[in-house]
Amino acid sequence: MKELRDLTRKLLADGDAGVVIGWEEGRRGARPAFITTPDDADKLIFDARCVHNLANYLNPRKPQVKALGKPAVVVKGCDAKAVAGLLREAQLTRDRVILIGVRCGGVVQTPEMPAELTEATVATRCYGCDVREPKLVDHLVGDARPEPPVTAALDRRIAELDALSPRERWQFWTSQLAKCTRCHACRQACPLCHCERCITDKTQPQWIESSSHLRGNFAWHLTRAQHLAGRCVGCGECERACPVGIPLSLINRKLQLVVKDLFDYTVTDDPEVPAPIGAYAVDDKQEFIE
Amino acid sequence: MAATDTPMKPDGFHPRITAFVCNWCTYTGADLAGTSRLQMASNVRIIRLPCTGRIDHMFIVKAFERGADGVIVSGCHPADCHYTAGNYHARRRFGVFRELMDFMGIDPQRVTFSWVSASEGAKWKDVVNETVARVAELGPFDAYHELAGDTVTGGEPAPGPFEAASGAETPDPLEELEVGR
Amino acid sequence: MSAATGTALFLSDENLGNLVAEIIAAGRRLVAPARDPQAAVGGSADYRYISSAAELAFGDSLPRMSLKGFFLPQSEVLFKWHRKGADVEIEAVPTEFPPQIVLGARPCDTAALEIVDQVMDWGLRDELWFGRRNATTIFNLSCPVEDASCFCHAVDLNPDATRAADGMLTPVPGGYLVESCTEKGAALVEGHKALFESGDTGAAAERSAAAAQYRAAARAKVAADLQIDTTRIKEWVGDHFDDEFWTALGPRCNGCAACASVCPTCHCFDIVDEPEGVGHGARRRNWDTCQTGVFTLHASGHNPRADQNSRFRQRVNHKFFIYPSRFGEVLCTGCGRCSRVCPEGQDLAEVLACIDELARA
Amino acid sequence: MNIYQPHLMNVVAVIDETPDTRTLRLQFKDPEVAAAFAFKAGQFGEYSVFGAGESTFCMASSPTRPEFIEASFKLAGKVTNELRQLNVGDTMGFRGPYGNTFPLEQWEGKNVVFIAGGIGLAPVRCVIWNVLDLRDKFGDVTIIYGARSVADLVYKRELEEWAGRSDVKLVTTVDPGGETPDWKGEVGFVTPVVEKTAPSVDNAVVVLCGPPIVVKMTLPVLAKLGFADDQVYTTLENRMKCGIGKCGRCNIGPVYVCKDGPVFTAAQLKGLPAEY
């Protein structure tokens, strides 16, 4: 912690960064912090409750963050994948951001939870994590942490759904998507949803109906998932932001598995590796095509 | 196209099929099927696009929204794309989208993906007939068409915030399972 | 300031189940906190149409969403249109609704309805809203108070308020103490009077003592947190539109608008036309929110609220300055849902405490 | 009554004003609605194309000519695009009139100065005809109107008519570069032309409307010419959906454009945050 705070003080004092974006203690657990003066550096914390993917604040369509100056962002390994996504998609240039990596031993599901990691509290995304020490960083702080407890709950649920008939899956998803109010919190919380104007906000033509009936909700969630295929870093922020509890991670994780199976691609924190959609191989699988 | 042997279920169900085809191969192939007077089902409405690379997954969604029971997406064979690589990109996207539809409970049998070249009039006939037969067997896609429901419900109360607008019964298929809990 | 006036009756747990069964058997729609059988996260309750007493979840935490969706559905048809050549026919929607009953509403959710009534009756009267309001009988559940994000006491309510309610249930050992406070409420009790035990039995005094104790404990719990003066806040917010306070708050907000979705008083909406094929379609009203960029975006591309700072400021302004200026009361019932649901830890109670501090200085 | 359900109107005339601006002349289908309908200068309505949605426009025609209403709109979004597809005989929807009005009764006996930029002439035109149709009740009438180019001037036939009237002083201007070889009017932005024209302050009121930039630039010039803030009226447009104070998006601080406006004096504008 001291390492992180000292670094923050130095970055701000030297004028290298205008704002350091990390985590602080809020009334309901950890939350994003925007540190703009060295004096506030001691507010910063890092523990297993720091679940937020702060790469979201690097979205170029956030004038209120841009106004604070050049950002230095604290990233876990999974967050660094999102930063790599932004770099890959030319939303950010590497010299416009300072990345402070933290070694991570897994996080809990919500920032209000106690920091103790158990099989019941650990976030599903930490299962199979391959970037517990982020590589795409300018500074790396913190000590190595022990492996988190393993939970394969998400993959288990996906397997259960896969085992059902299409009709049963349809019933499951209609009951889930009926709750959707189309607040688009899932989009806003997503670090990779950075479009200047989201397809669902476009009206000429209106591809996706904005009404929260099931027809509009299906069009939205199919499109959201499809647009994130091969791009989603699996941080789960969409599901955490959803005020009605739609299990969006099931869809995102399913597509991660699909992309792995079809294109042998796993989302990476190397911005030089192209995303699978937008690239192709001449010998891609095509058994589904007649 | 001749409107002869339209596959029909006994109840007279004629599936509505929307076909999104590329301008260079499949459209020409379909044209050839017509000029060759090949007999095929007349249930297919063709929408011509420059390339399969232009065909967005939302086209399929919109087709279902507006009443299609099945969809055909067809274009040039690999290596034949007029724009070099449009069909390769489409292949990746539809490979993913097909799995996504399946996962969300949209029977992928309702969507046919095919490569039909300009000379393959006979293949187009087969693709059409097979798709129509398969979708006829599946029945009308009312599940999708009625998603928004007839929400002007006369004296009925409007749906509550957690009810499907259609008011349709959604029995819980997962009661026995741990899914989504 | 509980306004429940009727004689307190006793409804045993068993008879609550019978009441539910009788209401449903009579063909009336019943809304109550109930578990989502397929809830993905936790076991949180929502207000739902229920079909049996087994679904009731009175003991659960505060329902995730407020009650507003039963009066202002997240998407509702305003009318349908049918094109006949160059002509258009309009198919109207009814503005009268069949009766529905809400059992176990939290006082903050019920009070919100009466607060929103004011804007719905401002100038032209919104009959779709009032049609549902008039058709609904609401019995509150005296609230045990959720957690430290609750602040109903700070906005002129309390955990056993009966504002806009037709009656209230207070948990006591073995069942509920039932008070009705309107004719509608009394009619509901009268319609099922065999289920209610009158107040003059020996156990009655014990029960009302238990109820009083329950309420006092809830009031004490909520009063322990957040001491603010909404009048002072109104003045400060009105006078400090350009204060840098707002610039400091905006960056954390990612504009997800989950706060507005769960808010019992956020009532802003969008109106959209949706074709349902060729030649006919529906005009719908959908929930909308000031937290999104497109909310105020002009067709010309000009946007009066171009960043999240100004959008968050609008939310606080509307609730604590604009609404009280117009209608004499804040557009907030202190339910705390916005703080609980915010993925980034933006906390309205904390914001209000800061403003109050600034206003005092 | 469902307050969101529009009245049906017939399109009785379509007038192209500029390449991207069009006026629709409308009549109520239901004679009872037509008979009961009345509005005052300054009010607005919600015009709908079924299938595209609703859009807000000020009344462009004068209440002194009640046999029809007119709306002028510039191609900008989904609804205006669909409005352009309408032909004579087509059906559209209308809700209104909503909002406050210009206090014409208070202006009787006064000189009236109209200043407009671009499509901003549409709401001003309503007041101009209202004043001209009751010509005896008002003093001098001055109209200063500017557009980007000659082609972008709206209501060209009416501009000619006003130019030919002896009881109207009309000054037209186009932005530098927007003039044609035979252009006889001024060349320059509206604001300097107002300064040059220098309408008299005495016993006068000003009606000002245009894009936000024109309004923001011209207000100080009017102050410099000596106009008091309560002598200057303008009409604002913010994004609206319901038009009746419920949908919650047109407010500028505590003021709702749909209910408290759209007509504001410069004095009122000064008390508001700059969120418009």
Side-chain angles (χ1 to χ4, degrees):
Chain A
M1 206 83 79
K2 181 170 184 306
E3 212 181 342
L4 174 61
R5 291 171 178 170
D6 288 344
L7 177 60
T8 298
R9 254 186 292 275
K10 182 168 174 359
L11 287 171
L12 292 171
D14 295 352
D16 292 337
V19 57
V20 175
I21 307 176
W23 293 272
E24 67 182 15
E25 193 68 50
R27 291 194 349 140
R28 299 187 68 91
R31 68 176 179 189
F34 296 77
I35 307 295
T36 51
T37 60
D39 293 348
D40 286 342
D42 286 340
K43 283 186 182 170
L44 287 178
I45 58 165
F46 180 74
D47 59 34
R49 300 169 305 145
C50 296
V51 304
H52 319 71
N53 189 337
L54 303 178
N56 195 10
Y57 294 113
L58 296 176
N59 180 330
R61 254 67 73 175
K62 290 193 185 293
Q64 65 278 5
V65 180
K66 268 189 169 171
L68 301 176
K70 182 176 179 179
V73 184
V74 187
V75 290
K76 306 183 289 294
C78 45
D79 307 340
K81 288 183 182 175
V83 177
L86 292 171
L87 290 166
R88 190 181 293 128
E89 294 169 12
Q91 299 304 309
L92 192 64
T93 49
R94 190 63 186 82
D95 59 329
R96 301 295 296 276
V97 60
I98 298 167
L99 297 173
I100 306 171
V102 282
R103 293 186 182 88
C104 173
V107 293
V108 292
Q109 288 153 13
T110 68
E112 297 107 277
M113 286 178 161
E116 277 73 51
L117 287 163
T118 69
E119 207 178 320
T121 63
V122 67
T124 50
R125 71 176 122 149
C126 299
Y127 170 55
C129 173
D130 55 356
V131 284
R132 299 190 40 242
E133 181 176 299
K135 293 185 286 294
L136 181 70
V137 293
D138 298 298
H139 307 274
L140 188 61
V141 299
D143 300 325
R145 294 178 183 229
E147 285 286 335
V150 167
T151 171
L154 199 55
D155 287 13
R156 208 163 51 231
R157 285 180 197 166
I158 289 170
E160 285 167 357
L161 275 171
D162 280 341
L164 299 175
S165 70
R167 188 180 161 71
E168 289 167 321
R169 279 197 294 277
W170 175 260
Q171 284 166 346
F172 173 74
W173 285 113
T174 45
S175 75
Q176 290 298 329
L177 298 190
K179 296 184 288 192
C180 176
T181 69
R182 298 296 294 287
C183 66
H184 302 124
C186 45
R187 172 190 71 190
Q188 294 300 117
C190 177
L192 272 308
C193 272
H194 54 62
C195 288
E196 176 75 41
R197 191 154 182 191
C198 177
I199 183 74
T200 194
D201 287 336
K202 288 184 180 166
T203 56
Q204 298 188 86
Q206 184 108 35
W207 278 109
I208 302 174
E209 291 173 319
S210 60
S211 294
S212 56
H213 46 51
L214 273 168
R215 195 175 63 202
N217 293 353
F218 259 90
W220 163 244
H221 286 285
L222 285 166
T223 300
R224 193 197 67 83
Q226 176 75 10
H227 283 183
L228 281 164
R231 301 170 62 236
C232 171
V233 299
C235 67
E237 290 290 81
C238 49
E239 181 171 299
R240 197 170 64 80
C242 179
V244 297
I246 298 169
L248 294 167
S249 288
L250 285 175
I251 305 175
N252 295 336
R253 176 65 181 156
K254 171 69 185 179
L255 288 194
Q256 280 189 340
L257 297 170
V258 166
V259 165
K260 172 75 182 156
D261 175 52
L262 290 179
F263 319 124
D264 194 27
Y265 176 87
T266 309
V267 68
T268 162
D269 61 357
D270 180 353
E272 301 303 323
V273 176
I277 304 291
Y280 65 88
V282 171
D283 57 352
D284 276 335
K285 289 182 185 174
Q286 59 168 22
E287 288 78 18
F288 69 97
I289 302 175
E290 288 179 16
Chain B
M1 272 181 258
T4 50
D5 54 349
T6 301
M8 273 174 52
K9 291 182 80 176
D11 59 359
F13 167 56
H14 297 258
R16 275 193 281 189
I17 311 288
T18 307
F20 299 102
V21 305
C22 94
N23 174 47
W24 303 98
C25 292
T26 304
Y27 190 82
T28 317
D31 213 22
L32 177 63
T35 50
S36 309
R37 296 184 173 265
L38 299 179
Q39 299 288 301
M40 72 181 97
S42 60
N43 307 39
V44 177
R45 276 76 162 168
I46 292 181
I47 295 176
R48 174 166 61 157
L49 292 135
C51 176
T52 42
R54 171 66 184 89
I55 301 171
D56 198 291
H57 75 275
M58 288 186 292
F59 293 11
I60 300 176
V61 172
K62 193 58 86 181
F64 286 142
E65 284 183 2
R66 296 293 170 85
D69 302 301
V71 172
I72 296 171
V73 175
S74 184
C76 306
H77 284 271
D80 286 355
C81 178
H82 187 79
Y83 308 100
T84 315
N87 53 356
Y88 289 137
H89 287 290
R91 185 169 64 185
R92 283 217 157 179
R93 286 193 271 109
F94 287 118
V96 172
F97 189 62
R98 190 175 178 281
E99 296 286 339
L100 174 60
M101 282 192 297
D102 194 13
F103 189 64
M104 301 295 280
I106 299 168
D107 194 333
Q109 296 213 80
R110 291 192 182 272
V111 188
T112 303
F113 298 94
S114 67
W115 304 135
V116 173
S117 76
S119 63
E120 293 177 321
K123 184 178 179 187
W124 175 252
K125 183 197 80 173
D126 292 343
V127 165
V128 166
N129 283 345
E130 283 163 21
T131 305
V132 171
R134 198 165 54 226
V135 176
E137 196 53 44
L138 290 170
F141 202 6
D142 291 341
Y144 210 105
H145 304 157
E146 291 167 5
L147 278 179
D150 184 27
T151 18
V152 180
T153 49
E156 284 296 301
F162 298 107
E163 282 190 325
S166 62
E169 289 286 312
T170 44
D172 180 5
L174 304 173
E175 224 147 41
E176 309 302 316
L177 291 169
E178 284 299 299
V179 178
R181 298 263 160 95
Chain C
M1 48 148 229
S2 173
T5 49
T7 334
L9 301 170
F10 176 67
L11 182 68
S12 68
D13 286 327
E14 190 191 346
N15 277 340
L16 173 64
N18 292 332
L19 177 65
V20 168
E22 284 186 17
I23 290 171
I24 290 163
R28 297 170 85 178
R29 288 162 72 93
L30 181 59
V31 178
R35 292 266 179 96
D36 175 357
Q38 299 185 357
V41 281
S44 65
D46 272 316
Y47 295 113
R48 310 168 69 85
Y49 286 115
I50 63 166
S51 51
S52 84
E55 294 173 53
L56 287 179
F58 278 9
D60 266 31
S61 52
L62 182 75
R64 190 168 41 191
M65 303 290 275
S66 81
L67 206 50
K68 75 176 170 191
F70 293 88
F71 302 87
L72 182 71
Q74 61 188 42
S75 179
E76 81 175 309
V77 173
L78 296 173
F79 61 86
K80 288 202 158 192
W81 50 269
H82 304 270
R83 215 175 272 292
K84 304 261 160 79
D87 225 341
V88 169
E89 264 174 30
I90 288 186
E91 182 186 337
V93 292
T95 51
E96 281 183 26
F97 297 85
Q100 63 181 0
I101 292 161
V102 184
L103 286 184
R106 296 295 174 108
C108 47
D109 291 335
T110 310
L113 301 171
E114 200 171 279
I115 296 173
V116 177
D117 277 354
Q118 303 214 47
V119 63
M120 291 299 179
D121 198 26
W122 186 26
L124 295 170
R125 189 174 164 90
D126 191 318
E127 294 296 352
L128 293 165
W129 169 270
F130 284 105
R132 292 188 176 93
R133 288 278 285 125
N134 294 338
T136 310
T137 307
I138 305 174
F139 269 73
N140 282 355
L141 178 71
S142 186
C143 180
V145 178
E146 187 69 21
D147 59 25
S149 290
C150 284
F151 59 95
C152 58
H153 70 292
V155 287
D156 295 334
L157 284 170
N158 60 61
D160 55 294
T162 54
R163 183 169 184 198
D166 299 294
M168 184 165 68
L169 309 174
T170 308
V172 293
Y176 298 87
L177 213 58
V178 181
E179 292 150 283
S180 51
C181 41
T182 65
E183 280 176 21
K184 258 202 279 188
L188 180 70
V189 170
E190 183 63 24
H192 306 272
K193 63 179 169 195
L195 302 174
F196 297 89
E197 222 172 273
S198 79
D200 46 13
T201 63
E206 237 168 79
R207 286 189 191 120
S208 53
Q213 199 183 355
Y214 173 93
R215 292 175 188 171
R219 284 188 181 215
K221 187 176 173 190
V222 73
D225 216 62
L226 192 66
Q227 307 302 327
I228 53 164
D229 177 349
T230 50
T231 315
R232 195 157 57 205
I233 287 176
K234 177 188 158 203
E235 278 166 22
W236 191 89
V237 171
D239 292 342
H240 293 79
F241 190 84
D242 292 317
D243 199 274
E244 61 187 26
F245 175 72
W246 306 112
T247 355
L249 277 176
R252 181 177 295 125
C253 175
N254 70 20
C256 81
C259 48
S261 269
V262 298
C263 178
T265 57
C266 272
H267 56 270
C268 293
F269 57 81
D270 190 11
I271 298 177
V272 297
D273 271 30
E274 289 176 349
E276 308 271 344
V278 179
H280 55 102
R283 182 163 295 169
R284 291 191 168 89
R285 155 157 82 175
N286 300 325
W287 288 2
D288 202 353
T289 155
C290 58
Q291 295 308 293
T292 64
V294 291
F295 189 67
T296 50
L297 183 66
H298 292 195
S300 64
H302 170 67
N303 195 343
R305 288 186 211 124
D307 62 18
Q308 211 57 39
N309 300 339
S310 57
R311 291 170 206 143
F312 190 77
R313 174 177 60 194
Q314 162 66 15
R315 186 159 199 272
V316 177
N317 259 263
H318 193 192
K319 291 191 174 301
F320 296 96
F321 168 60
I322 298 173
Y323 211 81
S325 306
R326 284 280 162 192
F327 303 114
E329 59 181 334
V330 295
L331 187 65
C332 173
T333 60
C335 72
R337 282 191 181 87
C338 51
S339 305
R340 290 182 200 102
V341 81
C342 180
E344 314 297 7
Q346 192 86 300
D347 191 322
L348 185 62
E350 183 187 9
V351 169
L352 292 175
C354 287
I355 295 175
D356 197 58
E357 189 72 37
L358 289 167
R360 225 193 306 243
Chain D
M1 193 196 70
N2 180 348
I3 51 177
Y4 303 104
Q5 189 176 310
H7 296 300
L8 296 178
M9 300 200 88
N10 277 326
V11 178
V12 294
V14 175
I15 305 140
D16 275 318
E17 306 291 355
T18 76
D20 63 359
T21 306
R22 182 174 274 191
T23 299
L24 295 179
R25 182 173 293 172
L26 308 165
Q27 272 174 341
F28 288 102
K29 285 198 178 230
D30 184 342
E32 278 181 34
V33 173
F37 182 78
F39 72 99
K40 287 188 167 178
Q43 291 189 290
F44 67 93
E46 294 290 335
Y47 297 78
S48 51
V49 187
F50 299 103
E54 286 183 316
S55 211
T56 310
F57 307 115
C58 276
M59 303 294 210
S61 55
S62 167
T64 50
R65 302 170 181 204
E67 59 275 17
F68 53 76
I69 59 174
E70 285 180 342
S72 297
F73 59 90
K74 187 170 175 168
L75 183 60
K78 183 181 182 181
V79 176
T80 47
N81 192 30
E82 290 296 317
L83 278 171
R84 275 189 81 82
Q85 315 301 321
L86 294 181
N87 293 312
V88 171
D90 282 343
T91 303
M92 56 180 282
F94 175 84
R95 293 191 289 125
Y98 300 138
N100 70 352
T101 65
F102 288 102
L104 257 69
E105 296 81 8
Q106 297 171 24
W107 296 355
E108 287 180 10
K110 293 188 185 218
N111 304 324
V112 192
V113 181
F114 297 98
I115 303 168
I119 184 72
L121 186 58
V124 174
R125 173 199 188 226
C126 163
V127 195
I128 292 175
W129 280 120
N130 198 339
V131 166
L132 292 183
D133 285 347
L134 306 168
R135 190 66 191 88
D136 300 346
K137 296 190 174 179
F138 298 90
D140 295 343
V141 171
T142 308
I143 302 170
I144 302 169
Y145 174 53
R148 269 181 313 185
S149 70
V150 175
D152 287 309
L153 293 164
V154 298
Y155 307 126
K156 290 192 182 65
R157 273 156 308 193
E158 287 158 72
L159 290 173
E160 271 173 39
E161 189 182 334
W162 296 335
R165 282 177 74 140
S166 58
D167 58 353
V168 173
K169 181 182 179 190
L170 175 72
V171 182
T172 49
T173 181
V174 294
D175 291 357
E179 68 272 27
T180 52
D182 56 350
W183 173 245
K184 301 212 171 51
E186 301 279 335
V187 175
F189 296 121
V190 173
T191 306
V193 172
V194 170
E195 194 164 5
K196 187 175 145 196
T197 310
S200 165
V201 176
D202 292 335
N203 193 32
V205 290
V206 176
V207 177
L208 167 67
C209 186
I213 184 72
V214 171
V215 175
K216 284 172 186 167
M217 299 290 283
T218 307
L219 284 174
V221 169
L222 290 170
K224 198 171 138 195
L225 290 173
F227 285 93
D229 286 338
D230 57 1
Q231 275 177 292
V232 180
Y233 292 79
T234 186
T235 166
L236 292 182
E237 261 186 39
N238 253 8
R239 187 165 188 197
M240 291 178 196
K241 283 290 178 177
C242 70
I244 46 181
K246 318 235 184 277
C247 78
R249 72 191 67 212
C250 68
N251 69 299
I252 302 170
V255 163
Y256 281 76
V257 173
C258 66
K259 298 280 284 184
D260 306 305
V263 177
F264 295 94
T265 63
Q268 288 170 315
L269 274 192
K270 276 194 177 161
L272 294 178
E275 266 191 356
Y276 58 89

